Amino acid sequence: MCLITAFTLVIIGVLLYTASKLGIINRILYKVDPNTTQHGGELVAKTLKAHDVNYIFTLSGGHISPILCASENEGIRVVDVRHEVNAVFAADAVARLSGKVGVAAVTAGPGLTNTITAVKNAQMAESPILLLGGAAANLLKGRGALQDIDQMSLFKSICKHTATIRYIRDIPSTLKKAIHIAQSGTPGPVFVEFPIDCLYPFHLVKREIGIKDESKSFVQKIISLYLNNYLNSLFAGAFEKHDYTPLKPNIPQADVNQIQTAAELLSKAKKPVILVGSQATLPPTPATDLIKSLEQLNVPCFLGGMARGMLGKNSSIQFRHCRKDALKEADVVILAGTVCDFRLGYGKVLSHKSKIISVNRDKKQLTKNSDIYWKPTLAIQADPSSFMVELAQSLKGFRGSQDWIEHLRAKDDAKEEANGKKALEPTEIHLNPMKVLQTLDKILPENVILVADGGDFVATAAYLMRPPSFGSWLDPGAFGTLGVGGGFALGAKLVRPESEVWIIYGDGSCGYSIAEIDTFTRHELPVLSIVGNDAGWTQIARDQVVFFGSTVACELAFTDYDKVAEGFGGVGIRLDRSNEENIEEVLQKARKEYASGKSVLINCLIGKTNFREGSISV
């Protein structure tokens, strides 16, 4: 009797499993309306709207048309670019400046492969990006369908999470989970793949998969039965009531003991230094709270990445030069979201005598390269911004040494003075880039956003220019990606329409995204650009010529980028020795054109200086 019962249960289990896999159970539970005009794209749009998504960046493609059209109907602004990589760069900028998830939607195959660089850049910059990608129909994968490749394998290593849609009813829950993961812990990109049959209406999918209402032969009837079952399973429960409520991100926090230990270390410090990285600018702690806490502690700060500009142009505790010297003397160093990668010499710039407090959301980044060149005294896996606020609250009577601040200020001022003198030195041809950048820095408004996209010219700008506020500096981050300019500027202008957005281009990087001037023009989103045109890949040539005595592959031409900009609907201005005495007037002319609603590109011909050659102070 027991054997028969067990056998019966096995049979029932097999039948239920088979019925579930074939979608029969869902067909019983949910009635499918073959006349409905609803489609999966509507579920995507409703989910995004519920998550307060205001923009989707895209380049059109048949695979994703339902998502774009439904998003437009939901009031989400659809912004189409000239290259898919810039759709993701724009989404990245939105994420950084708004604190929300940035969204890009691109078509299958080459549309997705074109985004790989930007997705990897977002991963290393810790930006919460949602990439929506089209795909071949589930039935046709691996059968030679248009633009069909194994997309999931491509994105698995560069995304926090990947998912593909099998049934339309799964769209809301899959997107909710993906967005939750993108924003939780250490933020990063996620990818959700949408097979084309999960997006289009019932009647169109039926037509495309070739279901015949009247099948004559036995084989045709079997095929039709299979396809009908597939189609009904696909749409079963698709348009029932869904819960679109966003899930609250999980963010690691420091515990009381860790805060107390850090407070004890800092309270005894005579020469403390705080290095604030991009991660310290992430939600949920408002930037204003972090700024207030840093000012209360009165500890010298060096700002990197998205933190640049956070303390304004003239903060008494912010230092821009001689970081290496400060770290050699420091007795306590707080790495608030700063990582010991190449930007800190893998930790070599830290003194072995310093007590180091490392705070990072990511466990691997928290102690990267430790026990090789450096070792943390206290490693705390937590949100750096929240940590700094709590640390300041526990040290309300503490203020860092004013003598230590004045000691570092003297060094910083001396470096500024030296840079000012070097900016006045004539170059062999064209303009001194330092003079141009210092003049630009002088006239920029408080609400400016500077997008850094280039090598040598941009590296010089990073030393000389003073971002005035939080979010006023956008650079690619740890991946060092060229080509972010057009996409970053597009996203920045949408999030902060009142801001004056400038792209600081190298002439090499300019070639990557100058076509997006067409996008700025079509969407009435004016952007200013200045190209440091020295006719070469100078950042590379600096070392290549010294090491190998050759400029091979490093030479460009003094191209008329101003004329290229005009061809894409912008205003082009040339700046060279012919108007060297009027640099400020030329820059102001560009701002005036911009104020009238036009995108402007200044083609600035520059010569070469020895700034940053040899021993560079960091």
Side-chain angles (χ1 to χ4, degrees), residues 333-397:
V333 177
I334 299 177
L335 303 178
T338 300
V339 182
C340 286
D341 56 17
F342 70 93
R343 292 167 293 184
L344 274 183
Y346 309 98
K348 285 184 284 187
V349 298
L350 298 173
S351 171
H352 292 292
K353 297 178 182 179
S354 301
K355 291 181 172 60
I356 300 168
I357 303 168
S358 179
V359 189
N360 201 289
R361 294 189 186 192
D362 189 288
K363 188 175 182 179
K364 291 182 179 179
Q365 301 287 55
L366 179 65
T367 56
K368 185 177 283 292
N369 295 309
S370 65
D371 299 322
I372 301 176
Y373 300 116
W374 71 290
K375 188 177 181 66
T377 306
L378 180 62
I380 304 172
Q381 186 179 359
D383 173 52
S385 185
S386 303
F387 166 81
M388 291 306 306
V389 171
E390 292 182 49
L391 179 62
Q393 289 174 348
S394 69
L395 287 169
K396 288 185 178 179

Side-chain angles (χ1 to χ4, degrees), residues 137-370:
N138 282 308
L139 275 177
L140 299 177
K141 285 186 176 182
R143 298 186 182 184
L146 176 67
Q147 300 178 332
D148 179 29
I149 58 171
D150 183 2
Q151 298 169 164
M152 303 303 288
S153 295
L154 281 176
F155 287 94
K156 187 176 182 180
S157 68
I158 60 174
C159 289
K160 287 187 70 179
H161 172 74
T162 59
T164 188
I165 302 297
R166 299 294 182 190
Y167 303 103
I168 298 171
R169 62 182 173 273
D170 295 334
I171 289 175
S173 60
T174 301
L175 286 177
K176 281 178 59 173
K177 178 181 178 182
I179 294 171
H180 173 71
I181 292 173
Q183 296 179 308
S184 292
T186 306
V190 293
F191 170 58
V192 180
E193 179 188 73
F194 289 85
I196 193 169
D197 50 353
C198 291
L199 290 176
Y200 277 80
F202 187 96
H203 68 282
L204 291 179
V205 177
K206 180 179 179 179
R207 185 185 71 188
E208 288 302 310
I209 65 177
I211 296 177
K212 297 180 180 180
D213 292 327
E214 295 183 2
S215 302
K216 296 181 180 179
S217 69
F218 176 74
V219 174
Q220 286 179 337
K221 290 180 180 179
I222 294 297
I223 293 173
S224 291
L225 179 64
Y226 172 77
L227 293 177
N228 268 301
N229 183 69
Y230 169 81
L231 181 61
N232 281 278
S233 297
L234 186 67
F235 278 82
F239 309 114
E240 300 292 322
K241 186 177 180 180
H242 294 284
D243 180 8
Y244 297 103
T245 307
L247 302 171
K248 186 178 180 180
N250 299 323
I251 299 170
Q253 300 291 339
D255 62 37
V256 175
N257 292 332
Q258 290 171 325
I259 296 292
Q260 182 61 35
T261 302
E264 290 173 3
L265 290 171
L266 185 58
S267 65
K268 298 174 183 177
K270 303 297 182 183
K271 297 180 178 181
V273 170
I274 301 173
L275 304 186
V276 185
S278 294
Q279 198 182 90
T281 67
L282 293 171
T285 302
T288 50
D289 290 358
L290 175 58
I291 294 167
K292 183 178 178 181
S293 297
L294 293 174
E295 290 174 343
Q296 176 196 316
L297 291 171
N298 197 47
V299 171
C301 294
F302 291 87
L303 310 180
M306 281 294 294
R308 286 172 59 92
M310 176 182 288
L311 295 172
K313 283 189 173 184
N314 303 304
S315 170
S316 62
I317 60 170
Q318 179 185 346
F319 298 86
R320 302 173 58 245
H321 307 295
C322 306
R323 186 180 65 179
K324 185 183 292 185
D325 293 342
L327 291 174
K328 282 182 180 178
E329 296 184 59
D331 52 5
V332 171
V333 177
I334 299 177
L335 303 178
T338 300
V339 182
C340 286
D341 56 17
F342 70 93
R343 292 167 293 184
L344 274 183
Y346 309 98
K348 285 184 284 187
V349 298
L350 298 173
S351 171
H352 292 292
K353 297 178 182 179
S354 301
K355 291 181 172 60
I356 300 168
I357 303 168
S358 179
V359 189
N360 201 289
R361 294 189 186 192
D362 189 288
K363 188 175 182 179
K364 291 182 179 179
Q365 301 287 55
L366 179 65
T367 56
K368 185 177 283 292
N369 295 309
S370 65

